[in-house]
């Protein structure tokens, strides 16, 4: 084991060849858990899986209102204005030079859920995780990374967390029921749901394996889905988007912009934050993914997504997911 201490961060790596992202998720204790991963078929995207629980904060918003909820103190703060611009103002920023694209930050979505749900769930929602578990599929290493974003918080015991991942018993297999499909629109189907949402995700990740696969627990809903490609990615200042019609002239250094096949690439101008690019390039279908403390982002569109609220599942597809078949997911 190797422990590295920095001003605001701490990290420990261990050999994780006895574990998988699924077993780590099941053994991780806490609420509001998430898992971001990629099918092994997609080598360019699939090196790391990210797992977390017990976020430090939650940012959520509708229209021109953003709520900042601290789970440590249970205090709420409210801001008025354009919600993506507000998100940029409140999202913690911590410089972190590591080999990992994400070591902590906001996990969530923006305008990515069906319009039929806008009265039930926020149109923007991000859990902010200060402790992440990172599974490296290339080396079979597990890294636990903690970022101190609040002075009053108690540092987690990383050794204890790692011990729990290896010694905690995995829960018994669970199941789910998805039934009574009803077509609401060409892109939205509803169904009855009962059982365990993570069991649904485990089936989805097999039947609809893709470069982007996600499971996110929010207080109002649980979101599971897969998508074949990144829509917007910014790493170390390098921007890539599959929005072929986007004008990158104002966001990127002009001499860096180029088009390759179906993507555009450029170097983000120092005058802009990654969230500025998110705001300017926001697609009609919305975005699901992460905003790192280090200013790196990776978002996909909700091509094949199920939003579970109580005993109902809202199944949405985008125009580039016409191959989504629900038969293999149906149970009951």
């Amino acid at each position: 084991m190797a422990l590295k201490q920095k001003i605001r961060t701490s990290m420990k790596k261990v050999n994780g060849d006895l574990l998988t992202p699924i077993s780590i998720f099941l053994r991780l204790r806490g609420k509001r858990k998430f898992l971001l991963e990629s099918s092994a078929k997609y080598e360019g995207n699939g090196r790391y899986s990210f797992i977390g629980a017990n976020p430090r904060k939650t940012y959520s918003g509708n229209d021109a209102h953003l709520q900042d909820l601290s789970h440590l103190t249970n205090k709420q703060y409210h801001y008025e204005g354009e919600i993506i611009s507000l998100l940029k103002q409140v999202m913690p920023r911590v410089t972190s030079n590591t080999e990992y694209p994400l070591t902590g930050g906001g996990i969530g979505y923006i305008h990515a859920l069906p319009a039929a749900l806008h009265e039930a769930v926020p149109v923007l929602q991000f859990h902010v995780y200060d402790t992440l578990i990172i599974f490296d599929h290339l080396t079979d290493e597990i890294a636990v990374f903690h970022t101190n974003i609040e002075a009053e918080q108690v540092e987690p015991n990383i050794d204890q967390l790692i011990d729990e991942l290896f010694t905690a018993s995995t829960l018994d297999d669970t199941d789910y029921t998805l039934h009574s499909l009803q077509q609401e629109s060409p892109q939205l189907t509803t169904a009855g749901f009962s059982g365990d949402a993570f069991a649904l995700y485990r089936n989805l990740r097999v039947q609809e394996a893709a470069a982007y696969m996600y499971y996110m627990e929010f207080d109002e809903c649980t979101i599971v889905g897969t998508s074949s490609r990144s829509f917007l990615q910014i790493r170390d200042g390098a921007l890539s988007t599959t929005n072929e019609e986007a004008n990158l002239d104002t966001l990127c250094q002009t001499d860096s912009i180029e088009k390759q096949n179906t993507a555009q690439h450029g170097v983000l101008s120092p005058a802009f934050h990654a969230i500025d690019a998110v705001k300017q390039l926001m697609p009609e279908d919305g975005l699901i993914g992460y905003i790192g403390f280090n200013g790196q982002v990776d978002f996909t569109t909700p091509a094949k997504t199920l939003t579970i609220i109580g005993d109902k599942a809202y199944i949405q597809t985008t125009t580039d997911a016409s191959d989504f078949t629900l038969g293999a997911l149906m149970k009951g």
Side-chain angles (χ1 to χ4, degrees):
M1 294 186 183
L3 181 64
K4 299 181 180 180
Q5 294 286 349
K6 297 184 180 180
I7 296 175
R8 303 186 68 181
T9 63
S10 56
M11 179 185 69
K12 178 167 284 190
K13 290 183 181 181
V14 296
N15 181 2
D17 61 359
L18 294 177
L19 299 175
T20 68
I22 295 296
S23 66
I24 291 171
F25 180 93
L26 291 172
R27 294 180 179 194
L28 182 61
R29 300 174 183 175
K31 300 179 179 179
R32 306 179 182 96
K33 297 167 70 173
F34 84 90
L35 170 59
L36 301 180
E37 58 178 343
S38 176
S39 170
K41 299 177 183 178
Y42 300 87
E43 296 180 1
N45 297 287
R47 177 169 179 175
Y48 301 110
S49 293
F50 304 97
I51 309 104
N54 302 320
R56 186 61 53 187
K57 291 175 172 286
T58 297
Y59 300 127
S60 59
N62 287 294
D63 300 324
H65 177 85
L66 184 74
Q67 174 182 282
D68 173 352
L69 171 62
S70 169
H71 296 293
L72 181 67
T73 63
N74 207 33
K75 291 182 179 179
Q76 297 183 29
Y77 304 91
H78 299 269
Y79 309 97
E80 301 296 328
E82 198 281 320
I83 54 176
I84 301 180
S85 298
L86 292 172
L87 182 66
K88 173 187 172 183
Q89 295 176 30
V90 299
M91 181 67 69
R93 302 182 189 183
V94 180
T95 300
S96 175
N97 296 316
T98 74
E99 67 265 43
Y100 306 110
L102 176 67
T103 56
I107 310 294
Y109 64 87
I110 308 172
H111 295 292
L113 303 187
L117 301 183
H118 286 179
E119 292 187 3
V121 298
V123 299
L124 175 153
Q125 192 159 205
F126 285 86
H127 287 323
V128 179
Y129 295 87
D130 59 3
T131 303
L132 283 190
I133 299 170
I134 305 167
F135 189 96
D136 187 335
H137 294 269
L138 181 62
T139 64
D140 281 336
E141 283 185 324
I142 294 171
V144 178
F145 207 103
H146 173 75
T147 304
N148 188 340
I149 61 172
E150 291 183 331
E152 67 269 26
Q153 76 181 70
V154 177
E155 294 283 334
N157 187 325
I158 291 180
D159 286 326
Q160 180 179 342
L161 174 58
I162 291 174
D163 287 344
E164 289 174 357
L165 297 181
F166 284 92
T167 60
S169 59
T170 303
L171 299 177
D172 294 336
D173 280 345
T174 56
D175 208 346
Y176 70 92
T177 300
L178 190 67
H179 59 89
S180 303
L181 293 180
Q182 183 172 341
Q183 193 79 38
E184 304 291 343
S185 72
Q187 280 77 46
L188 180 64
T189 302
T190 59
F193 179 84
S194 62
D196 179 33
F198 195 66
L200 169 60
Y201 172 76
R202 292 176 66 183
N203 190 17
L204 182 70
R205 71 191 290 275
V206 173
Q207 303 297 335
E208 299 289 341
Y212 287 78
M213 303 188 293
Y214 44 90
Y215 175 93
M216 304 175 182
E217 296 177 351
F218 296 96
D219 290 351
E220 303 87 355
C221 64
T222 298
I223 299 172
V224 303
T226 72
S227 183
S228 63
R229 61 178 183 171
S230 169
F231 179 85
L232 173 63
Q233 184 181 96
I234 300 175
R235 291 187 180 176
D236 299 321
L239 183 152
S240 175
T241 177
T242 52
N243 184 344
E244 299 178 65
E245 306 302 321
N247 183 354
L248 302 184
D249 289 346
T250 58
L251 283 171
C252 294
Q253 299 174 16
T254 305
D255 59 356
S256 71
I257 299 172
E258 60 180 33
K259 292 188 177 182
Q260 295 179 357
N261 298 323
T262 60
Q264 292 195 79
H265 306 274
V267 176
L268 188 67
S269 169
F272 294 103
H273 186 275
I275 299 179
D276 294 315
V278 171
K279 180 180 177 180
Q280 181 167 317
L281 302 177
M282 175 67 59
E284 181 179 349
D285 294 324
L287 296 172
I288 293 179
Y290 68 73
I291 301 171
F293 294 144
N294 54 8
Q296 303 196 146
V297 305
D298 200 351
F299 282 102
T300 186
T301 52
K304 304 174 183 180
T305 300
L306 295 91
T307 304
I308 300 166
I309 302 177
D311 60 357
K312 199 168 186 178
Y314 297 81
I315 306 159
Q316 67 189 108
T317 58
T318 56
T319 53
D320 61 348
S322 58
D323 61 334
F324 190 22
T325 56
L326 296 173
L329 299 182
M330 297 300 293
K331 292 187 178 182

